[in-house]
Amino acid sequence: MTVQKVAVVGTGVIGNGWIARMLAQGYDVVATDPAEGAEERMRRAVEQAWPYVEALGLAEGASKDRLTFEKELADAVKDADFIQENVPEVEELKQTVLKNIDQHAKPDALIGSSTSGIMPSELQANLQHPERVVVAHPFHPVYILPLVEVVAGKQTTTENVDKAKAFYESLNMSVLLVRHEIEGHIADRLIEAIWRESLHIVNEGIATTEEVDKAFTHGAGMRYAQYGPFLTFHLAGGEGGMRHMLKQFGPALKKPWTKLEAPELTDELYDRVVSGCEEQANGMSMSELDQNRNEFLIRLYDLVQEYWPKETEKTKA
Amino acid sequence: MTVQKVAVVGTGVIGNGWIARMLAQGYDVVATDPAEGAEERMRRAVEQAWPYVEALGLAEGASKDRLTFEKELADAVKDADFIQENVPEVEELKQTVLKNIDQHAKPDALIGSSTSGIMPSELQANLQHPERVVVAHPFHPVYILPLVEVVAGKQTTTENVDKAKAFYESLNMSVLLVRHEIEGHIADRLIEAIWRESLHIVNEGIATTEEVDKAFTHGAGMRYAQYGPFLTFHLAGGEGGMRHMLKQFGPALKKPWTKLEAPELTDELYDRVVSGCEEQANGMSMSELDQNRNEFLIRLYDLVQEYWPKETEKTKA
């Protein structure tokens, strides 16, 4: 892999997370965003992230000084070997920006889109070099959480998927190649399912946001840091594992526990959700919460690595 | 609270988890289960759990020797101050067993049902002393995970809810009083939503169980050990928090990302899910997986405690 210079297009929460991760792994990064004050916010975000990427380990030569900002997208992407797109989740906007990138980038530069839900075939449809586009969907905070879902579109070449995978692995990420295009890829479908049901519960006045959060984290959530929905149920089945679990809880699947459609996002629901979260923060500022979460995740990440079953087995073997 | 002796009715995975937790907090426990070999399996389960409850801290006088087993339910419950019911999740069976408990227990003994989904008003409907029944729904492994959802039925007295809450708190549990009866209480509605969507993804051949688990744990799952669906999105909104998040992702709620109806549990889906889990275990036995998960959760639990935002604030104040 010969990537040396990466361009980051769009410097919101996700774009800035990518920048910190890329700098930490020794890349030159050039960022661009048309918003007023974007560069200043970006530099602040990188400063805030830096202690955490340091704790996870910097590559040789990694430096915040290797970050530059360009006002014009064309200037940002023209010399880049890899371009990560992170503009707002609006299909037309993403298509326009990608067309712009496609036009000004080197023809063999790879393009990853951070889209949460849009399928890569739709993103690459009108480009001159569609074969170099993948979806590469990370998770906030991008500079700590290891997962990136990589999805190829119909026109993406296998060679370019392999190159993209190698690049994200060079960022110390856990690459999940999603083999079929679906809206929301995989992880966000599960997150959305939790989210919709949570909104229903709050909307119907069954529980507050804080109660929902407590109900989730103190029980299931602690398990999900390590094992996903399948292995969790496999373990909950006792010695019979999933085999027993499906027999025992199969019938309950048909019970109307969950709501099928999303609730209307009324003003009332909006206010209830927003004020619920603000109360839960209990006087901690966003940056205090953020720092608290980061310190936790750094230590949790070590734990997850240490206790990951496959790695343990491989190490033993 | 004057509970000294607890009866545990039904010694499957959940019942045995309760037993270990109760013994660890210094209670006398008498268990009953009509299944062949139940006592032996129970004693083995308590042995396996013991190192973990020791690591979390034993109450003074706590001992595995304070566990007895009775073949007959009537003998098990007759002197108990608190009875925890954990028979299979079949409404008619639970109602029959609760009637039996109600008949043989002291009239003022409290009864908690571990039901995942049945509402307490339905469980207490035909009892002589319905006012003493609550749902008390724990999470596997019960001897480590702190959450218990406590739900009162229409006939449960406030006094008895308070007593039940005090009892579960004496077990070092985090008690969530669920203020409205709904099927699945709160946590299991979220777990079911994830589970149904996961089954759809596997059913349609989009991804394997292992890929779904990886997609969930390495991203969202690590976050959910600490913050629930609401605070997670609050943090992902950047400085604008949930306010920004709802504006940005509100529209996506209407997109058909999730399929909240359950798929048919065909033989093919059954096999795919079971063999997926068995492959994921990668040669580790259920008890190795179990031990690995326990060691992880013990350490994670410490981390979650240390970084819980409210506690931090309270400590500071």
Side-chain angles (χ1 to χ4, degrees), chain A residues 13 44 117 140 145-147 149 174-176 179-180 182-183 186-187 189-199 202 205-231 233-236 238-239 242-243 246-247 250 252-255 257-260 262-265 270 273-274 277-278 280 282 284 286 289-290 292-293 295-297 299-301 303-304 306-310 313, chain B residues 13 44 117 140 145-147 174-176 179-180 182-183 186-187 189-199 202 205-231 233-236 238-239 241-243 246-247 250 252-255 257-258 260-265 270 273-274 277-278 280 282 284 286 289-290 292-293 295-297 299-301 303-304 306-310 313:
Chain A
V13 171
R44 209 178 330 127
H140 175 67
L145 290 179
L147 184 67
E149 293 177 309
S174 169
V175 177
L176 178 65
R179 292 172 288 105
H180 298 269
I182 49 169
E183 285 180 317
I186 298 174
R189 294 178 81 95
L190 308 189
I191 293 170
E192 279 283 321
I194 302 169
W195 177 235
R196 287 173 197 206
E197 187 58 29
S198 300
L199 285 174
V202 171
I206 302 292
T208 64
T209 61
E210 179 157 16
E211 288 166 341
V212 170
D213 275 4
K214 180 174 175 179
F216 197 59
T217 54
H218 291 201
M222 283 179 64
R223 300 186 300 215
Y224 286 135
Q226 186 181 31
Y227 296 145
F230 288 103
L231 216 53
F233 276 1
H234 191 43
L235 277 161
E239 286 174 16
M242 180 59 86
R243 206 169 288 279
L246 283 178
K247 293 267 188 253
L253 269 179
K254 290 296 178 200
K255 288 190 180 171
W257 282 5
T258 50
K259 299 282 181 173
L260 310 182
E264 233 11 271
L265 192 57
Y270 177 85
V273 170
V274 168
C277 285
E278 286 170 352
Q280 279 173 262
N282 201 30
M284 286 177 85
M286 290 306 289
L289 279 173
D290 218 69
N292 185 52
R293 192 267 330 278
E295 286 174 12
F296 170 86
L297 281 178
R299 293 179 58 188
L300 176 57
Y301 185 59
L303 271 190
V304 170
E306 192 175 336
Y307 289 96
W308 193 247
K310 291 228 157 173
E313 263 314 282
Chain B
V13 171
R44 208 177 330 125
H140 174 67
L145 289 179
L147 184 67
S174 170
V175 177
L176 177 64
R179 293 172 287 106
H180 298 269
I182 50 169
E183 286 180 316
I186 297 172
R189 293 178 84 95
L190 308 190
I191 294 170
E192 279 283 322
I194 302 169
W195 177 234
R196 287 171 197 207
E197 188 58 30
S198 300
L199 285 174
V202 170
I206 303 291
T208 64
T209 61
E210 179 158 16
E211 286 166 342
V212 170
D213 275 3
K214 181 174 174 178
F216 197 59
T217 54
H218 290 200
M222 283 179 64
R223 300 186 299 214
Y224 286 135
Q226 186 181 29
Y227 296 145
F230 288 102
L231 215 54
F233 275 1
H234 191 44
L235 277 162
E239 286 173 17
M242 180 59 86
R243 208 168 287 280
L246 284 178
K247 293 267 187 253
L253 270 178
K254 291 296 177 200
K255 288 190 179 171
W257 282 5
T258 50
L260 288 179
E261 276 193 313
E264 237 7 273
L265 191 57
Y270 177 85
V273 170
V274 168
C277 284
E278 288 171 352
Q280 279 174 261
N282 202 29
M284 285 177 86
M286 289 307 289
L289 279 173
D290 217 69
N292 184 52
R293 192 265 331 276
E295 287 174 11
F296 170 85
L297 281 179
R299 292 180 59 188
L300 176 57
Y301 184 61
L303 270 191
V304 170
E306 192 175 335
Y307 288 95
W308 193 248
K310 291 230 160 173
E313 261 317 281

Side-chain angles (χ1 to χ4, degrees), chain B residues 7 14 21 52-54 83 86 93 104 116-117 120 122 127 144 165 171 187 196 201 211 225 246 250 271 281 283 310:
Chain B
I14 295 297
R21 183 177 275 277
Y52 304 108
V53 298
E54 276 185 322
I83 297 132
N86 324 276
L93 175 62
H104 293 98
S116 313
E122 290 171 26
L127 305 189
I144 298 179
K165 183 169 181 282
L171 296 174
R196 287 171 197 207
I201 291 169
E211 286 166 342
L246 284 178
D271 287 336
K310 291 230 160 173

Side-chain angles (χ1 to χ4, degrees), chain A residues 118-125 133-135 151-153 156 181 185:
Chain A
I118 306 167
M119 296 192 280
S121 291
E122 290 171 26
L123 295 175
Q124 72 191 171
V133 173
V134 294
V135 160
V151 198
T156 316
E181 292 186 76
H185 323 314

Side-chain angles (χ1 to χ4, degrees), chain B:
Chain B
M1 196 64 185
T2 55
V3 175
Q4 186 44 49
K5 189 168 193 172
V6 187
V8 172
V9 176
T11 58
V13 171
I14 295 297
N16 290 335
W18 276 118
I19 292 169
R21 183 177 275 277
M22 290 160 175
L23 290 171
Q25 296 312 316
Y27 287 100
D28 293 314
V29 180
V30 49
T32 186
D33 192 301
E36 193 67 43
E39 180 175 1
E40 194 197 327
R41 279 195 301 279
M42 172 194 77
R43 295 205 180 269
R44 208 177 330 125
V46 171
E47 284 299 333
Q48 282 174 0
W50 207 253
Y52 304 108
V53 298
E54 276 185 322
L56 289 171
L58 297 182
E60 195 163 324
S63 165
K64 284 176 288 185
D65 298 339
R66 292 169 67 180
L67 171 61
T68 53
F69 188 89
E70 293 287 350
K71 280 198 173 155
E72 298 300 324
L73 183 145
D75 295 328
V77 304
K78 69 176 193 289
D79 300 322
D81 307 305
F82 204 107
I83 297 132
Q84 186 74 33
E85 171 277 309
N86 324 276
V87 303
E89 195 69 12
V90 178
E91 193 162 334
E92 298 69 32
L93 175 62
K94 284 209 182 267
Q95 281 170 336
T96 305
V97 169
L98 285 165
K99 208 162 178 174
N100 209 351
I101 292 171
D102 186 47
Q103 195 184 329
H104 293 98
K106 296 187 288 187
D108 62 343
L110 293 172
I111 305 173
S113 169
S114 300
T115 179
S116 313
I118 306 168
M119 295 193 278
S121 291
E122 290 171 26
L123 295 175
Q124 73 192 167
N126 299 310
L127 305 189
Q128 279 184 297
H129 297 285
E131 72 284 351
R132 50 145 151 209
V133 173
V134 294
V135 160
H137 175 238
F139 294 80
H140 174 67
V142 181
Y143 50 92
I144 298 179
L145 289 179
L147 184 67
V148 58
E149 292 176 310
V150 172
V151 199
K154 291 192 188 87
Q155 300 181 72
T156 316
T157 61
T158 309
E159 195 195 343
N160 282 338
V161 173
D162 292 344
K163 282 187 188 165
K165 183 169 181 282
F167 170 67
Y168 293 112
E169 282 171 351
S170 81
L171 296 174
N172 285 342
M173 298 185 88
S174 170
V175 177
L176 177 64
L177 282 181
V178 179
R179 293 172 287 106
H180 298 269
E181 294 186 74
I182 50 169
E183 286 180 316
H185 324 313
I186 297 172
D188 275 6
R189 293 178 84 95
L190 308 190
I191 294 170
E192 279 283 322
I194 302 169
W195 177 234
R196 287 171 197 207
E197 188 58 30
S198 300
L199 285 174
H200 275 297
I201 291 169
V202 170
N203 194 41
E204 290 170 14
I206 303 291
T208 64
T209 61
E210 179 158 16
E211 286 166 342
V212 170
D213 275 3
K214 181 174 174 178
F216 197 59
T217 54
H218 290 200
M222 283 179 64
R223 300 186 299 214
Y224 286 135
Q226 186 181 29
Y227 296 145
F230 288 102
L231 215 54
T232 295
F233 275 1
H234 191 44
L235 277 162
E239 286 173 17
M242 180 59 86
R243 208 168 287 280
H244 171 71
M245 202 63 192
L246 284 178
K247 293 267 187 253
Q248 186 171 2
F249 288 103
L253 270 178
K254 291 296 177 200
K255 288 190 179 171
W257 282 5
T258 50
K259 304 209 176 186
L260 288 179
E261 276 193 313
E264 237 7 273
L265 191 57
T266 59
D267 288 349
E268 201 191 341
L269 177 56
Y270 177 85
D271 287 336
R272 208 181 285 177
V273 170
V274 168
S275 64
C277 284
E278 288 171 352
E279 268 174 45
Q280 279 174 261
N282 202 29
M284 285 177 86
S285 68
M286 289 307 289
S287 79
E288 281 174 319
L289 279 173
D290 217 69
Q291 195 180 340
N292 184 52
R293 192 265 331 276
N294 285 346
E295 287 174 11
F296 170 85
L297 281 179
I298 292 279
R299 292 180 59 188
L300 176 57
Y301 184 61
D302 284 341
L303 270 191
V304 170
Q305 299 274 89
E306 192 175 335
Y307 288 95
W308 193 248
K310 291 230 160 173
E311 300 307 318
T312 310
E313 261 317 281
K314 279 175 192 157
T315 315
K316 275 185 200 166

